Amino acid sequence: MITMDSVLEGKTIELSIMEDKLRQLGYSYGGGWEYDHGYFDYKIDDEDGYLFLRVPIKAVKKELDADGAIVEIGQPFMLSHMYQAGVDPKGNITNITASFNQFQEPTDKDAEIDEKWLKYGERYLKELDAALLPYV
């Protein structure tokens, strides 16, 4: 994980505006959404795993699922999950468990990020800042 500096960090915005603007840029909801916090993800790469620019948010007025929710933008970061190729060596899967657990465990939940990707992350962060700055 690599944290990134953003002019948006600590600023508040209406969630519906943020959601609309980020969807236009290609962001989606990241994992781990709760009523009081969540993440927006921009997938940068998915060749050997997943590389995201992730933007954390936390509710400061109303819960995230409520109309008019206001959120505070946290410090964005780049996050990489590397997955193993081929068959999962822990393959203790039966027909019943396969219906509940269809995915392999990542080989590294916080994999190292190649420096070539940092330029992409910085570029996408500038786009994010420019898109949201008029609304914070």
Side-chain angles (χ1 to χ4, degrees), residues 27-56:
Y27 284 77
S28 62
Y29 293 125
W33 273 72
E34 298 290 337
Y35 291 104
D36 64 340
H37 70 277
Y39 302 94
F40 284 99
D41 286 347
Y42 184 86
K43 188 189 302 182
I44 297 172
D45 183 55
D46 63 0
E47 187 174 319
D48 295 320
Y50 295 104
L51 176 62
F52 294 101
L53 173 60
R54 180 166 274 186
V55 182

Side-chain angles (χ1 to χ4, degrees), residues 1-93:
M1 179 176 82
I2 297 176
T3 57
M4 305 185 78
D5 293 327
S6 169
V7 296
L8 300 172
E9 185 179 349
K11 305 273 196 248
T12 58
I13 186 172
E14 187 173 329
L15 179 58
S16 63
I17 293 171
M18 183 175 187
E19 181 179 12
D20 179 56
K21 298 301 175 190
L22 292 186
R23 283 188 186 270
Q24 292 176 31
L25 294 175
Y27 284 77
S28 62
Y29 293 125
W33 273 72
E34 298 290 337
Y35 291 104
D36 64 340
H37 70 277
Y39 302 94
F40 284 99
D41 286 347
Y42 184 86
K43 188 189 302 182
I44 297 172
D45 183 55
D46 63 0
E47 187 174 319
D48 295 320
Y50 295 104
L51 176 62
F52 294 101
L53 173 60
R54 180 166 274 186
V55 182
I57 58 169
K58 69 177 181 179
V60 294
K61 182 180 177 190
K62 300 185 179 182
E63 293 180 337
L64 296 183
D65 64 341
D67 287 339
I70 305 294
V71 297
E72 181 180 317
I73 302 170
Q75 184 174 25
F77 57 94
M78 290 179 66
L79 178 67
S80 179
H81 287 303
M82 300 304 289
Y83 290 91
Q84 51 195 325
V87 179
D88 189 344
K90 295 181 187 175
N92 300 330
I93 304 284

